[in-house]
Amino acid sequence: VQLVESGGGLVQPGGSLRLSCAASGFTSSSITMGWFRQAPGKDRVFVASISGSGGIRYYGDSVKGRFTISRDNAKNTVYLQMNSLKPEDTAVYQCAVASKYRTMATSRNDNYDYWGQGTQVTVSS
């Protein structure tokens, strides 16, 4: 099982980035996936989750209205579109798979059993 994130980088406040997470080694099209982030010296925090079909999406309070999670099951890829970025969004962003779940989105860290290495997002002028 492998999850590879891409799309991170340096962006100015108010800007946008789109992160991608390519999954391999399992049939991810029916499995719940999510994004988390961790800033230096802080705990990992839930960002967004999406059900296997993509019909259910759940967001952390700090990103609601600014971030959008989506997936392309034909490509085994999940995306995180991030708009109106703020300096406090700076973190390493990781995607994750909750292999026991299909029809729900979940924010619980311990529901996820596979994790990517992460991609750095820096929001700064």
Side-chain angles (χ1 to χ4, degrees):
V1 174
Q2 188 174 21
L3 301 172
V4 179
E5 302 96 336
S6 61
L10 174 64
V11 63
Q12 292 186 341
S16 298
L17 282 175
R18 188 175 85 151
L19 305 183
S20 299
C21 174
S24 61
F26 61 95
T27 306
S28 68
S29 62
S30 61
I31 296 174
T32 295
M33 297 185 71
W35 287 96
F36 289 75
R37 68 186 183 188
Q38 187 168 20
K42 295 188 177 181
D43 292 335
R44 185 159 56 195
V45 174
F46 169 74
V47 175
S49 178
I50 189 167
S51 64
S53 68
I56 298 173
R57 308 179 192 195
Y58 184 49
Y59 296 94
D61 288 341
S62 63
V63 306
K64 282 179 183 176
R66 300 188 298 123
F67 291 11
T68 302
I69 189 170
S70 62
R71 65 192 299 159
D72 183 338
N73 286 341
K75 297 181 179 179
N76 282 353
T77 300
V78 66
Y79 304 97
L80 186 68
Q81 178 67 43
M82 305 186 295
N83 298 330
S84 302
L85 282 161
K86 305 174 181 179
E88 51 263 44
D89 294 317
T90 295
V92 174
Y93 284 71
Q94 288 179 281
C95 72
V97 164
S99 64
K100 296 181 177 64
Y101 299 91
R102 301 283 189 274
T103 60
M104 59 181 280
T106 176
S107 63
R108 288 187 55 171
N109 204 330
D110 57 5
N111 284 340
Y112 291 85
D113 43 8
Y114 296 100
W115 296 83
Q117 290 297 309
T119 185
Q120 176 71 45
V121 172
T122 303
V123 185
S124 175
S125 55

